[in-house]
Amino acid sequence: MPAAVPTMPAAWREKFVIGYGPGMKLLGTAPGGDSGSLDIGPEYGAPGLDGTWWFLDAAKARIAHYDAAGHYLDQVRISRKLLVSGRYFQWQLPHVLADGTLVAARQTPQGTALLRLRDGVLDEIAVDGSFFPTYDDGQRLYGLSLRGKLVAVDPSDGSRQAVRAFRTPSGLPFSLKLGDQVRIEVAVTSRVLPLRTSFGAPAHVGVQVRAGADGTLHLYLIGSGEDDESVQLVGATQVSPDGKVAGVEALANPFSEADPGSPGQLVIAPGSSNPMLVYVLTDGVHVYERSG
């Protein structure tokens, strides 16, 4: 696992930046953090089938819609009945599914609720129990239950079922197992990615995964090493459909005072095979796209 680099490598081009400010065209910030003195940005965004982007703009209680170059298009306001206590925007981790439905989640006293935007209609449904969405295959959301079991949720009705593996958009099963290494199992192929710092010390990381339409798995890893916890480790790699694991490339640190803290950096548009990264930084939201 490499240490974060000062700037994004050349292979990741900056696609666009959306700044913060008043009005509809810019994204909002709101006080946050333990002291309430930090300006926290949006709860990340997700690209759609048509290349446009949807951002959960918590500060302005809306879903903001931008084109593929980051130019403002329109917005969907969040009504008071979809805000906690009529005031608080707690929706996180947006996903756009293959049919164009935007889905986000929040935790409730009873479990989990999903926010859905379909054909311009915004609604909320309850999930059969709690889960934390981390991945989608274009049709279902996947995540961990409170007991740490992998589950899949159907956003059409909120039904939840235990599963043994994720699925790529084409239906190929795969799984990730974390410990002192990442074990990646794709169909009948198993590969291991050791989690060590450049000095050989154990590294503890979180992993985000997305699958491209071509079956390639893209992994985004963030963590720290036991040799120096003050050093941020950030990297990306990919696993081809035949199980070949690429080397981990060092990336810039995604964290800033504006970051809301959700693991929502890595995204892939439905039907695409190009990974993108969303960084919520102090001057705006930066979107990077992997070239080649």
Side-chain angles (χ1 to χ4, degrees), residues 114-184:
L114 296 181
L115 181 74
R116 300 181 303 184
L117 178 62
R118 297 184 296 179
D119 300 324
V121 177
L122 195 64
D123 66 3
E124 176 187 34
I125 63 168
V127 175
D128 296 335
S130 294
F131 91 117
F132 187 75
T134 60
Y135 173 81
D136 76 82
D137 63 6
Q139 298 182 12
R140 298 191 297 175
L141 298 174
Y142 294 76
L144 296 178
S145 69
L146 290 179
R147 295 184 177 182
K149 302 296 184 181
L150 182 63
V151 297
V153 171
D154 185 345
S156 67
D157 58 10
S159 60
R160 188 189 75 160
Q161 67 179 80
V163 294
R164 293 185 176 182
F166 299 101
R167 296 273 175 174
T168 67
S170 65
L172 184 70
F174 72 93
S175 63
L176 302 176
K177 297 179 181 178
L178 282 177
D180 57 357
Q181 60 189 15
V182 180
R183 180 173 294 277
I184 307 140

Side-chain angles (χ1 to χ4, degrees), residues 20 28-33 35-42 59 256-260 280-283:
Y20 306 128
T29 60
S35 64
S37 61
L38 302 178
D39 289 331
I40 305 299
S256 74
E257 291 185 346
D259 185 90
V280 182
L281 303 179
T282 55
D283 65 334

Side-chain angles (χ1 to χ4, degrees), residues 11-292:
W12 291 85
R13 70 176 185 89
E14 188 170 76
K15 189 174 177 68
F16 60 79
V17 180
I18 304 173
Y20 306 128
M24 295 185 295
K25 293 185 177 181
L26 299 175
L27 294 167
T29 60
D34 293 338
S35 64
S37 61
L38 302 178
D39 289 331
I40 305 299
E43 282 287 345
Y44 287 97
L49 282 162
D50 57 0
T52 65
W53 283 76
W54 300 89
F55 289 92
L56 301 182
D57 193 351
K60 297 181 180 179
R62 65 174 183 163
I63 304 173
H65 192 199
Y66 293 82
D67 69 14
H71 301 128
Y72 176 77
L73 294 174
D74 49 41
Q75 65 180 0
V76 177
R77 301 291 301 180
I78 307 295
S79 65
R80 289 176 59 88
K81 69 179 183 179
L82 295 177
L83 301 174
V84 175
S85 301
R87 297 177 54 193
Y88 303 108
F89 187 110
Q90 294 185 354
W91 302 106
Q92 297 177 292
L93 301 171
H95 294 255
V96 177
L97 305 178
D99 65 357
T101 300
L102 171 73
V103 184
R106 71 176 176 89
Q107 301 306 306
T108 72
Q110 294 75 35
T112 303
L114 296 181
L115 181 74
R116 300 181 303 184
L117 178 62
R118 297 184 296 179
D119 300 324
V121 177
L122 195 64
D123 66 3
E124 176 187 34
I125 63 168
V127 175
D128 296 335
S130 294
F131 91 117
F132 187 75
T134 60
Y135 173 81
D136 76 82
D137 63 6
Q139 298 182 12
R140 298 191 297 175
L141 298 174
Y142 294 76
L144 296 178
S145 69
L146 290 179
R147 295 184 177 182
K149 302 296 184 181
L150 182 63
V151 297
V153 171
D154 185 345
S156 67
D157 58 10
S159 60
R160 188 189 75 160
Q161 67 179 80
V163 294
R164 293 185 176 182
F166 299 101
R167 296 273 175 174
T168 67
S170 65
L172 184 70
F174 72 93
S175 63
L176 302 176
K177 297 179 181 178
L178 282 177
D180 57 357
Q181 60 189 15
V182 180
R183 180 173 294 277
I184 307 140
E185 297 180 355
V186 182
V188 297
T189 304
S190 181
R191 294 290 184 269
V192 169
L193 179 66
L195 295 178
R196 297 275 170 176
T197 69
S198 58
F199 297 102
H204 304 281
V205 305
V207 179
Q208 298 172 30
V209 61
R210 295 290 183 270
D214 62 358
T216 299
L217 302 181
H218 297 271
L219 279 64
Y220 181 71
L221 305 100
I222 311 175
S224 61
E226 291 185 2
D227 51 351
D228 189 347
E229 294 183 357
S230 68
V231 175
Q232 187 69 60
L233 306 178
V234 186
T237 186
Q238 60 188 34
V239 184
S240 65
D242 61 2
K244 183 179 180 180
V245 182
V248 180
E249 59 180 330
L251 300 177
N253 188 351
F255 298 122
S256 74
E257 291 185 346
D259 185 90
S262 304
Q265 287 88 6
L266 179 63
V267 298
I268 294 181
S272 171
S273 298
N274 277 1
M276 291 179 280
L277 292 170
V278 181
Y279 278 21
V280 182
L281 303 179
T282 55
D283 65 334
V285 175
H286 294 241
V287 173
Y288 303 92
E289 183 173 29
R290 184 72 161 81
S291 60

